[in-house]
Amino acid sequence: MSLDKLQIIPLGGLGEFGMNCCAIRYGDHILVIDAGLMFPDEELLGVDIVVPDIGYLVENREQVKAILLTHGHEDHIGGLPWILTELRDVPVYGTEFTLAYVEGKLEEHKLLDDTEMLEMIPGEQFQIGPFRIQPIRVTHSLVDCVSLAIHTPVGTILHTGDFKVDLASPDGHPFDLQAFAELGRNGGVLALLQDSTNVDRPGHTPSELAVRPRLDEIFGRTKKRLFFSCFSSSIHRLKLAFELADKHDRKVAVIGRSLDNSTEIATDLGYIDIPPGILINGGQIKDYPPEKVCVLISGTQGEPMSALSRAAVDNHKHARIEPGDTVLLSSRIIPGNEKGIFRMIDHLVRRDANVIFDDGTQGIIHVSGHASQEELRLMINLVKPKYFIPVHGDYRHLKRHAELAASTGIPKQTFLLEDGDVLELTRDSATRRDKVRAGRILIDDGSTADVVDDLVIRDRRHLSEAGLLLPILAINKLTGLVEGAPEIIARGFAVPDPSILTEARQVIARTLDASSNEEKGDYGVIKEKIRTDLKRYIQKNTSRRPLIMPVILEI
């Protein structure tokens, strides 16, 4: 690459929510911003997680100098074990809290000892090759989050990460307006990559403190146990729950591994100050009067094996929900999770629990961590970008965001990029180049080794929709003759008429009769002939296309 050119190469997070990953390249130096995962939709049967295809980074592994993490949400750090498995010896930079989350994740995948983790401190700049990195404090639904101003010989690239403008953050670390304004005063940034999540929402996103009055009211009027559920990463919300429990004289039990882990990390790092004597373990819940207990419990999204889902069907060792108890879901309903959440709520209502969730009618019990339209405009006005690139969202969000940026009249040009696009910048120009390899990698069972290709997904979908037929033949290996009538086993294939399977056996018999001894001796050939003839017969008589897998047994 020419040293007067800089490349921005998104590898994930543009055209989908999640899987955020972006490469910044100057000469022989590549920085990677974020390494997220995406949870699969219903079509990806059996897939555990989805991570970005980093083929471009693997091809240029010697040039990859660092991975910079904006914050600790799964859609920004969840793909890190996969990426580090492919790219060895790459240092990982993050804030103190983000690295605490990363540490547990890398330890789980046995990568911790081989990974260099370096702390970024908001406001303190550091150098990586030709890049001068300036982490800037932003507010979000998680603590210790940063935007990254990357000063290069060509100009400054600003990647906002996830953010909203909260000047009264409960952790005492407000959004750093001054640092962004300073970027604008110093000539503006060359390119702004901005979070598109809430671009459809007018106005401003409420402060995290906006939920306190309603939650305080719920704590005050709840007569029996209060089961409080929120995202495990909502450290502000957990802090508030402890404060309100202390105010209303309730003991607190933390139920669920993810919540327990987040509470422990946040307490160790000083983000949560648990009042003395307030914390009890799950086994002690029954020892206190119901009106003296608050249970922090994981499972806001109705995950089948979460603590709240199991408690909803009376299948949890410690969390027992009784008539009159209140269950508060202080979170939003993530699109795609509606069915599981409402099924869980139905179970809770059957137990005569009072369920409070974010349906728009029960006051403010949850606020977003992403900037709405006016905050997005504010950021653009503060940093005065020459070029604008929306990131983090489906294509319709990116399109709407580009229109919003253009309406400010500030960016000289906006670019709607997708994963794999290459935007090449000089001080005075921006040009699209040929795409690089990008896409998604499907992983089973959370293991970085169990990669699933699209052919496997196609077969799983085929099985789920049409079922399976197993024609079984026994062939005498001495004589080459078929012993007995062929058997057909059907799984997931509803047979409309039993005579169809009888006729299918005859189809197989006719195929065998029409085959030469040489064909019968080649199991690969005879299997394919049986599959083809049987497929034609089944499709003609049932209009269905089950997966057909002939099995030949030698006897």
Side-chain angles (χ1 to χ4, degrees):
M1 273 186 64
S2 168
L3 288 183
D4 63 348
K5 294 177 181 177
L6 178 89
Q7 290 183 339
I8 297 174
I9 310 167
L11 299 174
L14 276 72
E16 63 268 326
F17 280 109
M19 215 169 67
N20 296 298
C21 186
C22 182
I24 308 292
R25 180 167 187 167
Y26 181 80
D28 290 333
H29 291 75
I30 297 175
L31 294 182
V32 180
I33 300 177
D34 288 331
L37 61 73
M38 182 170 67
F39 292 106
D41 56 33
E42 293 180 353
E43 293 182 354
L44 298 179
L45 303 170
V47 171
D48 192 43
I49 61 171
V50 184
V51 297
D53 184 337
I54 58 163
Y56 171 77
L57 300 180
V58 173
E59 292 166 6
N60 297 275
R61 68 172 75 235
E62 297 302 320
Q63 284 76 47
V64 180
K65 305 305 179 184
I67 299 173
L68 310 175
L69 303 175
T70 59
H71 66 287
H73 275 144
E74 286 293 302
D75 59 332
H76 292 260
I77 68 169
L80 194 57
W82 159 256
I83 290 178
L84 290 175
T85 300
E86 297 293 301
L87 302 175
R88 296 288 183 176
D89 302 321
V90 177
V92 176
Y93 289 77
T95 59
E96 181 182 37
F97 190 89
T98 300
L99 292 182
Y101 266 11
V102 167
E103 182 176 338
K105 190 173 292 294
L106 296 186
E107 189 171 23
E108 180 183 344
H109 289 86
K110 298 179 174 56
L111 293 167
L112 184 59
D113 292 341
D114 299 324
T115 304
E116 182 182 14
M117 296 198 298
L118 300 166
E119 184 181 347
M120 292 191 296
I121 299 174
E124 294 190 10
Q125 301 185 29
F126 58 96
Q127 197 82 21
I128 301 176
F131 303 108
R132 180 165 50 88
I133 317 299
Q134 179 185 357
I136 302 175
R137 173 86 64 187
V138 295
T139 44
H140 183 43
S141 53
L142 187 62
V143 298
D144 217 7
C145 306
V146 292
S147 290
L148 296 172
I150 302 173
H151 303 281
T152 79
V154 172
T156 300
I157 308 300
L158 176 61
H159 192 297
T160 66
D162 289 354
F163 79 99
K164 68 177 181 181
V165 180
D166 190 346
L167 300 180
S169 181
D171 62 3
H173 298 294
F175 184 90
D176 192 351
L177 271 176
Q178 183 175 344
F180 290 105
E182 194 67 28
L183 290 175
R185 282 196 293 269
N186 290 337
V189 302
L190 180 65
L192 170 63
L193 290 77
Q194 192 178 46
D195 174 19
S196 304
T197 306
N198 274 358
V199 69
D200 288 332
R201 295 192 184 185
H204 296 82
T205 301
S207 166
E208 183 65 30
L209 293 177
V211 302
R212 186 180 183 105
R214 176 64 175 141
L215 298 190
D216 193 5
E217 177 194 339
I218 293 170
F219 268 83
R221 67 175 174 79
T222 297
K223 302 302 181 187
K224 299 187 74 174
R225 289 189 187 91
L226 174 60
F227 290 82
F228 187 109
S229 190
C230 65
F231 296 122
S232 60
S233 60
S234 296
I235 305 303
H236 300 311
R237 205 72 48 84
L238 294 175
K239 178 176 185 289
L240 179 57
F242 277 105
E243 291 174 355
L244 292 176
D246 186 43
K247 175 182 176 181
H248 293 278
D249 195 23
R250 288 179 181 264
K251 300 292 185 182
V252 178
V254 180
I255 303 291
R257 189 179 69 169
S258 59
L259 269 183
D260 194 44
N261 182 54
S262 288
T263 301
E264 182 178 350
I265 291 173
T267 303
D268 289 346
L269 298 181
Y271 287 96
I272 295 178
D273 185 14
I274 299 178
I278 196 176
L279 196 62
I280 61 174
N281 62 51
Q284 295 176 287
I285 293 174
K286 62 182 182 299
D287 299 335
Y288 292 87
E291 67 275 9
K292 295 295 183 182
V293 174
C294 171
V295 180
L296 296 183
I297 188 166
S298 61
T300 65
Q301 300 303 301
E303 303 94 327
M305 294 308 295
S306 67
L308 186 55
S309 286
R310 286 186 286 136
V313 294
D314 200 22
N315 188 31
H316 195 281
K317 183 177 181 180
H318 301 305
R320 298 297 177 113
I321 295 173
E322 299 176 355
D325 287 347
T326 295
V327 180
L328 170 63
L329 304 179
S330 182
S331 62
R332 73 183 182 97
I333 296 176
I334 294 177
N337 294 346
E338 295 90 347
K339 186 177 294 185
I341 293 172
F342 288 121
R343 182 168 56 241
M344 178 182 71
I345 289 174
D346 281 346
H347 287 307
L348 293 168
V349 172
R350 284 192 182 98
R351 312 201 78 76
D352 286 329
N354 173 32
V355 184
I356 303 172
F357 60 98
D358 189 13
D359 63 354
T361 67
Q362 306 195 48
I364 299 179
I365 61 172
H366 174 72
V367 293
S368 173
H370 299 271
S372 297
Q373 290 176 4
E374 293 309 313
E375 293 151 280
L376 298 175
R377 287 193 178 94
L378 173 63
M379 175 74 81
I380 293 169
N381 278 280
L382 281 175
V383 305
K384 299 178 174 57
K386 179 178 287 187
Y387 304 112
F388 180 84
I389 304 106
V391 296
H392 303 179
D394 293 333
Y395 193 82
R396 65 182 184 277
H397 295 89
L398 305 181
K399 174 72 170 174
R400 176 74 185 89
H401 200 176
E403 292 169 351
L404 180 144
S407 72
T408 66
I410 293 176
K412 175 183 176 183
Q413 197 170 353
T414 63
F415 289 91
L416 267 172
L417 301 184
E418 295 186 86
D419 297 342
D421 286 346
V422 177
L423 183 65
E424 191 169 88
L425 303 173
T426 69
R427 290 184 178 276
D428 303 307
S429 67
T431 310
R432 289 177 184 266
R433 296 302 183 195
D434 291 340
K435 290 174 74 79
V436 303
R437 173 178 165 183
R440 62 184 187 176
I441 300 294
L442 312 178
I443 298 178
D444 269 355
D445 301 325
S447 168
T448 55
D450 296 335
V451 175
V452 182
D453 63 28
D454 287 335
L455 184 61
V456 173
I457 298 300
R458 189 191 70 184
D459 286 346
R460 289 177 181 176
R461 192 174 300 128
H462 193 168
L463 284 168
S464 72
E465 293 170 352
L468 172 70
L469 284 182
L470 291 174
I472 303 176
L473 293 81
I475 294 182
N476 190 309
K477 64 181 179 181
L478 296 177
T479 65
L481 299 175
V482 176
E483 300 282 347
E487 281 294 319
I488 298 180
I489 295 175
R491 291 290 182 268
F493 174 71
V495 182
D497 184 343
S499 66
I500 288 177
L501 289 186
T502 302
E503 178 61 27
R505 293 186 185 95
Q506 295 174 9
V507 170
I508 296 172
R510 288 195 292 270
T511 301
L512 292 170
D513 290 342
S515 301
S516 67
N517 288 336
E518 190 176 10
E519 287 176 319
K520 292 177 185 177
D522 188 324
Y523 291 168
V525 171
I526 201 66
K527 280 183 181 182
E528 185 58 26
K529 289 189 70 174
I530 290 170
R531 192 190 70 81
T532 301
D533 291 348
L534 198 54
K535 174 184 175 184
R536 187 182 300 116
Y537 168 76
I538 293 293
Q539 188 173 349
K540 179 180 178 181
N541 288 273
T542 68
S543 298
R544 295 180 62 187
R545 301 178 63 184
L547 193 65
I548 299 173
M549 297 180 62
V551 176
I552 295 180
L553 304 176
E554 279 189 333
I555 59 173

